[in-house]
Amino acid sequence: MADFRVRVSTEAFGAGTRDKVSVSIVGTREESPPMPLDNLGKEFTADAEEDFQVTLPKDVGQVLLLRVHKAPPARPLLRSLTPDAWFCRWFQLTPPQGGPLLFPCYQWLEGAGSLVLQEGTAKVSRADHHPLLQQQRQEELQARQKMYQWKAYNPGWPHCLDKRTVKDLDLNIKYSTAKNANFYLQAGSAFAEMKIKGLLNRKGLWRSLNEMKRIFNFRKTPAAEHAFEHWQEDAFFASQFLNGLNPVLIHRCHYLPKNFPVTDAMVASVLGPGTSLQAELEKGSLFLVDHSILSGIHTNVINGKPQFSAAPMTLLYQSPGCGPLLPLAIQLSQSPGPNSPIFLPSDDKWDWLLAKTWVRNAEFSFHEALTHLLHSHLLSEVFTLATLRQLPHCHPLFKSTGIGIEGFSELIQRNMKQLHYSLLCLPEDIRTRGVEDIPGYYYRDDGMQIWGAVERFVSEIIGIYYPSNESVQDDRELQAWVREIFSKGFLNQESSGIPSSLETREALVQYVTMVIFNCSAKHAAVSAGQFDSCAWMPNLPPSMQLPPPTSKGLATREGFIATLPPVNATCDVIIALWLLSKEPGDRRPLGTYPDEHFTEEAPRRSITAFQSHLAQISRAIQERNRGLVLPYTYLDPPLIENSVSI
């Protein structure tokens, strides 16, 4: 007979249970019978650690696994009064001889059933030599693959989790109770405020730009107020391609597209004397933003009225020294000609402002469908689902870790055919777009620092568990994870450049860095500023009610307002983007791991070093921001969520 001490930690806020819990200890010789964890009084209280002593009738040998059993209490009254779900943080098992063994859990146990836990040392599959441990890895993955299955939501989209509604999700992948309550409270208060103001259900046009201030006062931020004050200025318009909600499309222009026939005479007033377009192209001071993917896209119907879209091209000029980036010319279609004029800063005020506003509408459509939904949510779901299905809890990578619906779907299908691995790897993306040295590009500057910190952290973790390239190639769970992301997320498209297998430690480091960066920092950069950009709606109109202009000299204030979205549509989008920009509580900043899956000293040291590196980056960002008229805060590490959380 052997006495073991068992210590159990329960999560806070509604995570306790009155159900009966017992454990079986699985050893190299045999498995013990279930042993109740039962003290006098109430056990498994929220935010508590409790100690128990159990006696094994026989020596089970070296401990391999801990099997946890949960069953409802015997008395019917307790069964009816108490929710049965229990969130267990961990079990600590102390044998008669030797040190304590920690079994991380960090998951909900619902209803009656059993859960098998492995001691917390992270191991790749080749490191678990005992047949029982190998069998447990396989059974864990088989159970998760049965629970989390794929489905094709739309043709040409990345595959996603096969569930109909949020209610069908199990507790382990749902919002916490506190987070869920905060989200719906925020949504309710926002809709109520708009309804009281008489705006929520009003389908007509805005009466004036001044009237739009009623919705602008809804929830103001310093960045939103800056947009309101400067939205008509060319320098602010251009700066949003660098540090706004879609800072990923601008690229250096080495030659003018044939379908964008800008001439020297058109841009002389901005370039000034003694230079030309060709000279500036050779100097590398011209940049292009091309929304060609929007050409001919299906548009929505709002309040019974068809909406309109444009596929503009915008030419920008980086003025000498540290001067501002400025727009040179805008064409609102991909087909030049008499009905597609090139708009210029020297045009009539309303012509030029309307052209810039069409570009901002294109930015909204591109951003929401592709940069935000596809790249930051749908692909992140692929990474997450493949992780749940292919990596057991003990694996070290598991531990690290206006156009309407039809138009959105069409855009995603188009972009999936163009999407390349280099776009998801920030250093390669910056090089490919040729924007390494454009000044004032804080998304690039801060993003590169964070990419570097994540890469260093990942490299240290990979170095602990993968001593050679061969160890990467031989990890069948890792290779299944990569293969499933390639097939379900990128639809087996070799043209995407996404690897279907990994051959070296270097490739593995880049791949894991890409996953972490896109699910945390990249999402923060393109999500947190949504409300800041759209709170003053003319700066980022979600839809346009009149077609793009086909000639100059006809735009007026009244026509400009008539082109903008109606009142109720404005309210709906601004409320939605406010909610999507606001973390509803239960925050976990990048580098914060309250679920302590790693138990070894080496990865813990790496986590501490990663946190220190992020803190250093944060201090540098905050110091720089003190000197900026409009601080760039979206990639300040304490403001970045560890994952796509909203």
Side-chain angles (χ1 to χ4, degrees):
M1 298 178 69
D3 291 334
F4 281 73
R5 284 196 297 113
V6 181
R7 189 169 182 83
V8 185
S9 177
T10 297
E11 186 59 88
F13 193 74
T17 184
R18 290 183 181 272
D19 283 2
K20 296 301 179 182
V21 177
S22 57
V23 295
S24 301
I25 298 175
V26 181
T28 50
R29 295 178 182 172
E30 61 180 280
E31 178 175 345
S32 76
M35 297 169 291
L37 302 182
D38 192 4
N39 292 332
L40 292 176
K42 181 183 176 184
E43 293 92 21
F44 314 115
T45 305
D47 200 25
E49 295 182 7
E50 296 157 288
D51 291 300
F52 305 88
Q53 184 162 326
V54 296
T55 301
L56 276 62
K58 294 182 179 178
D59 180 11
V60 298
Q62 181 184 347
V63 176
L64 297 175
L65 301 166
L66 187 67
R67 197 182 308 275
V68 182
H69 312 276
K70 180 169 167 289
R75 286 176 288 177
L77 179 60
L78 289 178
R79 286 203 300 267
S80 63
L81 289 178
T82 310
D84 69 347
W86 175 43
F87 190 97
C88 174
R89 290 186 182 122
W90 46 260
F91 286 81
Q92 182 177 280
L93 186 66
T94 304
Q97 296 178 341
L101 304 172
L102 189 64
F103 293 79
C105 182
Y106 296 105
Q107 55 189 302
W108 287 97
L109 285 76
E110 295 185 83
S114 297
L115 175 70
V116 180
L117 301 177
Q118 190 163 342
E119 190 271 326
T121 302
K123 296 177 183 176
V124 296
S125 56
R126 61 179 165 71
D128 266 338
H129 302 295
H130 198 281
L132 282 177
L133 296 178
Q134 288 287 344
Q135 179 184 342
Q136 165 54 25
R137 294 178 84 105
Q138 294 174 15
E139 290 176 353
E140 179 185 344
L141 291 179
Q142 288 167 0
R144 290 217 236 110
Q145 288 164 11
K146 183 178 179 180
M147 178 179 291
Y148 305 117
Q149 298 188 13
W150 296 100
K151 72 174 179 182
Y153 181 76
N154 265 334
W157 284 41
H159 291 195
C160 63
L161 180 64
D162 187 10
K163 299 292 182 184
R164 289 181 59 84
T165 70
V166 174
K167 293 179 181 178
D168 298 327
L169 301 177
D170 76 86
L171 283 176
N172 287 304
I173 56 174
K174 278 184 177 179
Y175 268 2
S176 67
T177 303
K179 195 165 195 167
N180 197 54
N182 283 340
F183 181 83
Y184 284 104
L185 282 172
Q186 290 170 5
S189 67
F191 279 107
E193 180 177 334
M194 293 297 188
K195 196 168 185 67
I196 290 169
K197 288 182 174 180
L199 300 174
L200 190 61
N201 299 318
R202 199 177 115 196
K203 297 183 178 181
L205 299 175
W206 291 97
R207 299 186 185 96
S208 66
L209 289 173
N210 194 53
E211 189 192 25
M212 294 178 194
K213 293 178 184 176
R214 295 184 64 201
I215 197 170
F216 176 67
N217 291 327
F218 162 64
R219 300 281 192 277
K220 284 197 287 191
T221 65
E225 291 193 74
H226 186 89
F228 169 70
E229 293 168 1
H230 300 280
W231 69 286
Q232 298 187 49
E233 299 171 10
D234 286 357
F236 179 68
F237 167 81
S239 73
Q240 293 183 92
F241 293 121
L242 300 177
N243 302 312
L245 83 171
N246 193 41
V248 298
L249 201 52
I250 184 171
H251 67 272
R252 194 179 301 273
C253 185
H254 298 289
Y255 59 89
L256 285 176
K258 292 181 180 179
N259 61 338
F260 194 13
V262 183
T263 67
D264 286 329
M266 291 178 180
V267 298
S269 63
V270 178
L271 293 184
T275 188
S276 65
L277 285 170
Q278 185 58 39
E280 296 302 330
L281 286 168
E282 292 173 3
K283 285 195 291 187
S285 59
L286 298 186
F287 296 85
L288 186 68
V289 175
D290 189 353
H291 291 95
S292 58
I293 198 169
L294 292 166
S295 187
I297 206 75
H298 187 280
T299 55
N300 200 10
V301 175
I302 298 176
N303 300 336
K305 291 184 61 177
Q307 305 297 294
F308 296 89
S309 181
M313 289 185 283
T314 305
L315 186 65
L316 301 130
Y317 168 58
Q318 176 60 55
S319 47
C322 294
L325 186 70
L326 295 170
L328 278 180
I330 295 170
Q331 183 177 284
L332 295 180
S333 80
Q334 297 291 309
S335 303
N339 294 325
S340 184
I342 295 176
F343 292 90
L344 306 167
S346 56
D347 289 340
D348 174 79
K349 169 189 173 182
W350 290 105
D351 279 344
W352 180 235
L353 183 60
L354 183 60
K356 289 191 294 182
T357 304
W358 272 104
V359 173
R360 295 298 296 157
N361 169 252
E363 277 283 272
F364 178 92
S365 299
F366 187 101
H367 167 269
E368 292 301 338
L370 303 179
T371 310
H372 188 216
L373 177 58
L374 173 58
H375 301 167
S376 296
H377 281 269
L378 301 184
L379 293 183
S380 293
E381 181 171 345
V382 169
F383 301 147
T384 302
L385 190 49
T387 300
L388 288 169
R389 288 172 47 86
Q390 300 298 343
L391 299 181
H393 269 95
C394 61
H395 196 287
L397 289 190
F398 190 100
K399 294 167 178 278
S400 295
T401 69
I403 54 177
I405 293 174
E406 273 192 71
F408 265 49
S409 182
E410 193 176 347
L411 269 182
I412 288 171
Q413 290 164 351
R414 291 182 185 184
N415 192 246
M416 281 295 293
K417 295 175 182 177
Q418 304 172 0
L419 186 59
H420 196 270
Y421 189 34
S422 61
L423 175 70
L424 303 176
C425 298
L426 184 65
E428 290 186 34
D429 176 48
I430 295 298
R431 284 194 296 271
T432 301
R433 291 191 287 118
V435 290
E436 302 98 319
D437 58 357
I438 186 170
Y441 195 5
Y442 305 121
Y443 163 74
R444 174 203 60 206
D445 297 343
D446 299 352
M448 287 294 288
Q449 288 194 76
I450 291 167
W451 177 280
V454 172
E455 185 178 51
R456 179 175 169 182
F457 169 56
V458 170
S459 181
E460 289 181 5
I461 297 294
I462 297 302
I464 295 169
Y465 300 102
Y466 293 92
S468 64
N469 292 338
E470 289 73 22
S471 62
V472 173
Q473 299 162 15
D474 294 343
D475 187 343
R476 63 179 185 273
E477 293 166 346
L478 168 69
Q479 299 297 341
W481 176 63
V482 174
R483 189 164 54 250
E484 187 158 87
I485 290 172
F486 175 71
S487 63
K488 299 301 183 182
F490 297 89
L491 309 182
N492 291 307
Q493 294 179 160
E494 292 187 3
S495 60
S496 68
I498 300 290
S500 57
S501 63
L502 296 174
E503 303 299 320
T504 66
R505 294 199 302 176
E506 182 182 10
L508 176 57
V509 168
Q510 182 186 38
Y511 194 89
V512 176
T513 302
M514 177 274 294
V515 170
I516 293 175
F517 183 84
N518 281 277
C519 293
S520 57
K522 175 76 172 290
H523 177 258
V526 303
S527 179
Q530 291 178 99
F531 179 73
D532 292 339
S533 294
C534 82
W536 176 243
M537 181 270 288
N539 183 59
L540 192 73
S543 64
M544 301 292 258
Q545 298 198 86
L546 296 178
T550 56
S551 60
K552 295 186 183 185
L554 300 178
T556 63
R557 176 188 290 268
E558 293 72 25
F560 180 84
I561 293 171
T563 304
L564 297 175
V567 177
N568 62 332
T570 302
C571 291
D572 290 342
V573 170
I574 287 181
I575 291 172
L577 296 189
W578 176 67
L579 290 169
L580 291 175
S581 303
K582 186 176 177 61
E583 178 60 39
D586 193 18
R587 299 192 72 253
R588 295 188 178 188
L590 181 62
T592 303
Y593 303 106
D595 298 355
E596 296 181 357
H597 288 283
F598 281 114
T599 61
E600 311 97 295
E601 187 58 35
R604 285 173 176 264
R605 283 197 302 268
S606 294
I607 290 173
T608 301
F610 180 42
Q611 292 168 340
S612 177
H613 196 173
L614 291 173
Q616 181 181 354
I617 292 170
S618 178
R619 288 191 294 270
I621 288 173
Q622 292 175 22
E623 177 64 28
R624 178 205 64 206
N625 282 344
R626 279 192 279 271
L628 298 179
V629 175
L630 178 61
Y632 184 77
T633 60
Y634 305 131
L635 287 177
D636 189 358
L639 303 181
I640 299 172
E641 279 290 310
N642 239 342
S643 63
V644 178
S645 59
I646 186 167

